[in-house]
Amino acid sequence: MDQFLGGTLTPLRREIVRLGVVTSTQAIAFEMAEQGAADGTVVVADTQTAGRGRRGRMWHDAPGDNLLISIVIRPRLNVADLPKLSLAAAVAVAEAIAFATGLQARLKWPNDVLVNGRKLAGILLESRIVAEPVVVVGIGVNLRQRTFPAELAETATSVDLEGGRTVECEELLEAVLVAFERWRRALEREGFAALRARWLSLADTIGRAVTVGEHAGVAVDLAEDGALVLRQEAGLQRVVAGEMTASFPR
Ligand code: BTN
């Protein structure tokens, strides 16, 4: 694993809570955080009955065939910078997939992980600010799942379907956690520059004609605040949130 981290590993001390059937690992991670769970606590489940996706969608899984995790973060970041943790997670997941399966993973803004233009992993960042901010980063990776609901049939994929090296959940979990720890610490200690450069090097989005909400243009950059920068006839347009679609087939 040193290979993709470019350094010596020190064992990370973290609690990993392994569960069978849950509603959502996100819900459990927030409950645990409320009860004082330490920074870096991880919840892993075999299957979810109410898995949460971005923008209020459901996240489907095939029991036992997906990596489903939530990580409790007690961030050392300004509130405005918290969304960058989802970019850190996206980079970490792409690196871990490449390392563990040999597949070339790419990133679709802000944090979908694609292989051959189809979504293989999704990331959901949720935060609650009571006395101190708590962030839960949820990650779902399709490993052995071979069929998807009809509405996802054209856009979703898995390690198996893409012909990646077979990887056990535990192995991929470890790779994701190590890579995420590295990018999270880089963001907290050194700022966004290295993470931004790495995200751009993995981006599938840059150079494409895209639509995000009411904004259309060619994606040209990732701004200092994590916004996507579009080039339009009238000039540059920053987009901070929304669902992105490429305006031509992949
Ligand atoms: C997306 O819509 O792309 C984000 C999907 C995030 C799914 C993961 S699976 C583990 C964790 N628990 C959830 O309920 N959601 C996230």
Side-chain angles (χ1 to χ4, degrees):
M1 198 168 300
D2 293 17
Q3 198 183 329
F4 81 97
L5 292 169
T8 309
L9 297 183
T10 48
L12 300 172
R13 275 181 297 128
R14 55 173 117 74
E15 187 183 357
I16 301 182
V17 178
R18 293 181 172 79
L19 301 168
V21 184
V22 300
T23 51
S24 161
T25 54
Q26 294 290 101
I28 291 168
F30 272 115
E31 280 168 24
M32 292 177 63
E34 268 171 36
Q35 288 156 20
D39 180 44
T41 299
V42 182
V43 180
V44 189
D46 292 336
T47 186
Q48 302 182 121
T49 55
R52 299 180 195 161
R54 287 179 64 227
R55 308 181 73 74
R57 287 190 287 251
M58 287 278 292
W59 182 260
H60 301 272
D61 66 80
D65 286 345
N66 308 65
L67 180 64
L68 306 166
I69 67 178
S70 294
I71 310 169
V72 175
I73 312 285
R74 298 189 183 278
R76 295 178 195 100
L77 290 167
N78 295 326
V79 170
D81 289 327
L82 296 182
K84 292 175 184 163
L85 286 166
S86 76
L87 302 174
V91 165
V93 171
E95 289 184 343
I97 287 170
F99 169 74
T101 72
L103 293 172
Q104 209 189 0
R106 310 278 293 164
L107 300 179
K108 175 183 163 190
W109 183 85
N111 54 21
D112 284 349
V113 181
L114 310 181
V115 172
N116 294 322
R118 291 180 177 233
K119 183 162 168 172
L120 190 136
I123 288 150
L124 174 69
L125 180 137
E126 296 179 298
S127 57
R128 294 193 187 154
I129 301 171
V130 188
E132 296 288 326
V134 173
V135 171
V136 174
V137 175
I139 299 170
V141 184
N142 304 329
L143 292 179
R144 290 174 291 273
Q145 188 169 357
R146 298 193 74 88
T147 57
F148 292 89
E151 69 275 16
L152 301 178
E154 297 297 312
T155 55
T157 194
S158 68
V159 171
D160 263 20
L161 287 173
E162 296 300 328
R165 272 198 308 276
T166 302
V167 59
E168 293 303 320
C169 278
E170 280 301 309
E171 188 192 343
L172 187 60
L173 172 66
E174 183 62 18
V176 167
L177 294 179
V178 171
F180 178 66
E181 178 72 10
R182 175 190 176 209
W183 284 112
R184 174 212 166 165
R185 294 297 174 206
L187 177 64
E188 289 179 335
R189 289 174 185 156
E190 291 140 39
F192 188 41
L195 174 60
R196 175 172 170 269
R198 186 64 175 134
W199 189 96
L200 284 167
S201 78
L202 292 167
D204 182 70
T205 300
I206 301 302
R208 288 192 186 273
V210 301
T211 303
V212 188
E214 75 266 29
H215 305 291
V218 177
V220 291
D221 203 359
L222 184 70
E224 289 299 328
D225 61 356
L228 185 66
V229 182
L230 303 186
R231 191 177 61 236
Q232 300 177 321
E233 276 184 18
L236 296 180
Q237 170 76 49
R238 289 161 23 83
V239 184
V240 291
E243 185 69 3
M244 196 200 81
T245 50
S247 54
F248 56 90
R250 289 177 185 284

